[in-house]
Amino acid sequence: MTIDKLAALRGTILFGELTETELSALAERAVERRLARGEVLFIAGDEAAGLFVIAVGAVRAYREGLDGREQVIHVERAGATIAELPVFDDRPYPSTVAAEEETIVLFIDKRDVKRLCLDHPNIAFAALKLLAGRLRRCAELVEALSLREVDQRLAHWLLSAARVRGTRGGEGLQFTMHLTNQQIAARIGSVREVVSRALTRLQQNGLIAVDGRTISIPDENALEIYADGS
Amino acid sequence: MTIDKLAALRGTILFGELTETELSALAERAVERRLARGEVLFIAGDEAAGLFVIAVGAVRAYREGLDGREQVIHVERAGATIAELPVFDDRPYPSTVAAEEETIVLFIDKRDVKRLCLDHPNIAFAALKLLAGRLRRCAELVEALSLREVDQRLAHWLLSAARVRGTRGGEGLQFTMHLTNQQIAARIGSVREVVSRALTRLQQNGLIAVDGRTISIPDENALEIYADGS
DNA sequence: AGTTGGCTGTGACTTAAGTCATCATCGTGA
DNA sequence: TCACGATGATGACTTAAGTCACAGCCAACT
């Protein structure tokens, strides 16, 4: 399978507004890399020569503790970019990044990105907007980890997952969970067993209903109140 | 006491490279605001009309839990800016900001900042660098909160405080602690009593020595090893 | 069909962290 | 100068969260 580099670049917020000529020039210099599920793209602290555009698939950026426990910082899917920070501050990769599924990324040299930012103020502005969003989410995560307990963090996470992926119906808001408890744990800052028990508790309280891999939220509002307040 | 708005703006990374004419124009439109120690400048979620330049003093940006516990996200001093995010993504203030000491800030309308970013690519680039730094620190904080225990977080924090403010001498690296245990706790994500005990433990292990408000780190390396590894 | 390996749920236990209460000290403002 | 409130140390207690161990399941692969 070959991919259309041009289309992939055009699909990003960062490069979407370039002219066809500029896009082609960038596409020619872009280097494709394929990742198997779980494969690591780079490790936190590695020297960074540029950023990556996700053409197909999804990746997670995370930090690892000594015991091997992971904390996911953010997840990005096709159309997004990762490792922008080294472009702007010339420092190493801030997090380790691994593929969540079969993924194809395009490497873009940071000098190219810099030049584009300086030539096109609106690209720089798009990058600013992008980083602003990241920073907001990161601050949310800090707040959650520091000031909320696991059950609340889980409730909050389920709610936002449902709002992104879910559909509204007779059972209320519902969606299909495609992650393992382990993966959820890594995102909300906990461990497998605790997530398992927390899910049980949420069910017992009637805040969610679980049927196989389908999770329903009968009363969105009630779950929200629980998530940030108890 | 009157302050020199022009000088304050010139001292920032963001606006430092503007011409005198542009600076004056900006200074004329800047609105000064004085804050007493502890006074709140704005609250997370408030509508935001622009950013603030810190002319004198220092502020902390934090989130508050239901129980009133605070988690500091970042601290900024004279010469820095705060609340840049709303400028770039047109959303409300992400954190609550309060003065750590007597502080004077200058309010700059976000439309002015946007215009400057679009007219001067290097201002946009400076902003990108600024946000990149914030994001790195924020990710560090997430990692620490999720994967390290309090004693390690404290060790790490002491080390970086010492490296910024401290001096090297016979006793090793030493510096004056001008924060209360309460304040340290809010920064590393814990509470007063736990910080107090953690400090005692670090002393018992010979990793630090405390004399009044002076803290010495006899073996910087040993403390660092302890901070990220145990 | 059978085996292997990952995923889940759960009981039992440990422990880091947080809470509560007390007391001495200190600094600041009235 | 006095007094109050903030600060800090510390003992005693509680508890959320994490660890360990085990058993049942399911899906994939040989």
Side-chain angles (χ1 to χ4, degrees), chain B residues 74-180:
Chain B
H74 59 124
V75 174
E76 301 296 333
R77 337 198 134 268
T81 48
I82 39 173
E84 305 89 355
L85 299 203
V87 173
F88 305 121
D89 65 4
D90 286 304
R91 297 191 53 210
Y93 292 121
S95 305
T96 300
V97 165
E100 286 276 287
E101 54 195 72
E102 288 252 331
T103 296
I104 304 176
V105 294
L106 299 177
F107 171 81
I108 314 279
D109 192 289
K110 70 180 174 185
R111 284 164 301 189
D112 292 335
V113 183
K114 273 185 193 174
R115 192 175 35 71
L116 286 171
C117 278
L118 293 173
D119 291 352
H120 303 267
N122 52 333
I123 288 192
F125 208 83
L128 281 165
K129 202 164 174 177
L130 186 82
L131 293 194
R134 288 272 170 79
L135 205 39
R136 276 185 196 271
R137 286 169 170 278
C138 200
E140 293 282 335
L141 190 50
V142 166
E143 177 184 355
L145 289 169
S146 177
L147 305 171
R148 315 233 185 253
E149 29 205 65
V150 173
D151 289 38
Q152 294 180 298
R153 302 209 289 271
L154 178 60
H156 195 275
W157 186 86
L158 287 171
L159 207 46
S160 57
R163 282 175 177 158
V164 174
R165 259 177 286 288
T167 55
R168 268 163 246 267
E171 323 287 327
L173 186 57
Q174 71 178 43
F175 73 107
T176 307
M177 171 65 67
H178 54 283
L179 298 180
T180 67

Side-chain angles (χ1 to χ4, degrees), chain A residues 161-190:
Chain A
R163 281 174 177 158
V164 174
R165 260 177 286 288
T167 55
R168 266 163 247 268
E171 323 286 328
L173 185 57
Q174 71 179 43
F175 72 108
T176 307
M177 172 65 69
H178 55 285
L179 297 180
T180 68
N181 287 350
Q182 177 80 79
Q183 290 174 305
I184 301 174
R187 299 190 186 197
I188 66 173
S190 185

Side-chain angles (χ1 to χ4, degrees), chain A residues 155 158 171-173 198-210 215-224 226:
Chain A
L158 287 172
E171 323 286 328
L173 185 57
L199 278 169
T200 309
R201 279 191 294 270
L202 288 178
Q203 278 184 81
Q204 284 166 347
N205 297 341
L207 290 166
I208 63 170
V210 179
I215 294 189
S216 326
I217 299 170
D219 185 349
E220 210 172 321
N221 217 272
L223 188 59
E224 182 144 41
Y226 178 83

Side-chain angles (χ1 to χ4, degrees), chain A residues 63 65-66 69 71 85 88-89 91-92 114 118 121 127-129 132 134-136 138-139 142-143 146-147 229, chain B residues 63 65-66 69 71 85 88-89 91-92 94 118 121 127-129 132 134-136 138-139 142-143 146-147 229:
Chain A
R63 305 283 189 113
L66 320 147
R69 191 167 140 183
Q71 172 63 53
L85 299 203
F88 305 122
D89 65 5
R91 299 190 52 210
K114 272 185 191 174
L118 293 173
L128 281 165
K129 202 164 175 177
R134 288 273 169 80
L135 205 38
R136 277 185 196 272
C138 200
V142 166
E143 177 185 355
S146 178
L147 305 170
Chain B
R63 306 282 188 113
L66 321 146
R69 191 167 141 184
Q71 172 63 55
L85 299 203
F88 305 121
D89 65 4
R91 297 191 53 210
L118 293 173
L128 281 165
K129 202 164 174 177
R134 288 272 170 79
L135 205 39
R136 276 185 196 271
C138 200
V142 166
E143 177 184 355
S146 177
L147 305 171

Side-chain angles (χ1 to χ4, degrees), chain B residues 150-151 154 193-203 208:
Chain B
V150 173
D151 289 38
L154 178 60
E193 298 94 318
V194 174
V195 167
S196 174
R197 283 190 238 267
L199 278 169
T200 309
R201 278 191 294 268
L202 288 179
Q203 277 184 82
I208 63 171

